[in-house]
Amino acid sequence: DIFSFVESLAFYIPSIIFTYGFVIVGRKYKLNLLVIMSWLFIVSILFSFFIPFLGFFISSDYISSLEAVFSSEVNLFNLTSDQFYERYGMTLMDVFLPLIIGYVLFSLIIGIFHIVYGISLLRLGKKIPPARTAGILNIVAGATFIILIGWIVVFIAFIFEILTLFNASRLLER
C-alpha cells in the first residue's frame, strides 16, 4: 500500500544520501576502494528496495507453506511430516532448506562486502580517527554475520560511520 511505499522511501533516501557522503570523502582523500564500495552500497540499497517485488516470482504453494509454518494456527509439534506433506504438498525440509540456503548465501555475500568496506574505512582512518573504529567494526561484523552477531555489530559501526562523516565535514570545511 501507499503507506509502506512512503515508509520505505523515508528509509532508503536518507541511506543513499548518507552513503554518498562516503563517496565524497573517498574522492576527496583519493581512496578509490572507499568510493567503489560506497557506490556498491548505494546500488545494494536500491536493489533491496525492489526485493519485495520479487515475491511475485515465488510459487504460491511455497508461500502458503511458509504462511502455515509461521502462523500461530499450525502447531508443527502436533503434525507428523506425513501430515504436513498431505496438508501442504511439501515437506518441512522443502520449506526450510531454501530459507537456510538463502540466509547463508546472503550472510556470506554481505559479510564479504562489509569486510572489504571495513578495509576501505581503515585506510580512511589514517586521516579521520573514527573511521578506523568503524572499519574494524565492519570487518568484525562481516566475519560474524553468519552467526547473527554481525547484525548487532554493524549498528555499532554505523554510529562510528556517522562520527566519521561529521569529522570529515569539519576537516573539509577548513
Side-chain angles (χ1 to χ4, degrees):
D1 66 342
I2 191 72
F3 180 73
S4 297
F5 181 74
V6 171
E7 184 180 41
S8 293
L9 287 178
F11 170 77
Y12 289 109
I13 290 172
S15 297
I16 290 169
I17 293 169
F18 174 78
T19 306
Y20 188 71
F22 283 100
V23 171
I24 294 169
V25 170
R27 284 182 181 157
K28 190 72 174 173
Y29 289 108
K30 295 177 177 51
L31 296 168
N32 292 332
L33 184 61
L34 181 60
V35 172
I36 292 167
M37 292 308 296
S38 297
W39 277 117
L40 286 174
F41 242 134
I42 290 170
V43 169
S44 70
I45 290 168
L46 291 171
F47 177 74
S48 68
F49 179 75
F50 293 103
I51 285 178
F53 300 109
L54 296 177
F56 295 117
F57 301 108
I58 299 174
S59 157
S60 61
D61 291 338
Y62 183 71
I63 291 179
S64 64
S65 297
L66 280 178
E67 289 171 348
V69 167
F70 293 109
S71 76
S72 59
E73 297 171 14
V74 175
N75 185 347
L76 292 177
F77 298 108
N78 290 337
L79 287 177
T80 66
S81 59
D82 290 335
Q83 290 171 327
F84 187 87
Y85 184 80
E86 286 174 19
R87 186 184 270 182
Y88 302 106
M90 302 178 112
T91 65
L92 283 173
M93 189 58 90
D94 293 336
V95 174
F96 283 112
L97 191 60
L99 295 175
I100 293 167
I101 291 171
Y103 174 77
V104 169
L105 287 175
F106 180 75
S107 295
L108 289 174
I109 291 167
I110 199 137
I112 291 167
F113 189 81
H114 274 274
I115 289 170
V116 177
Y117 188 66
I119 291 167
S120 71
L121 287 172
L122 280 176
R123 292 179 182 170
L124 179 62
K126 295 173 183 168
K127 296 169 176 75
I128 303 172
R132 184 177 182 333
T133 305
I136 291 168
L137 289 170
N138 269 289
I139 292 169
V140 170
T144 58
F145 269 117
I146 200 146
I147 57 171
L148 300 175
I149 294 171
W151 298 102
I152 298 166
V153 176
V154 79
F155 287 111
I156 300 166
F158 182 69
I159 293 167
F160 285 94
E161 290 171 16
I162 292 170
L163 293 173
T164 299
L165 287 180
F166 276 123
N167 282 354
S169 70
R170 281 192 212 129
L171 290 172
L172 296 175
E173 280 178 355
R174 296 179 196 164

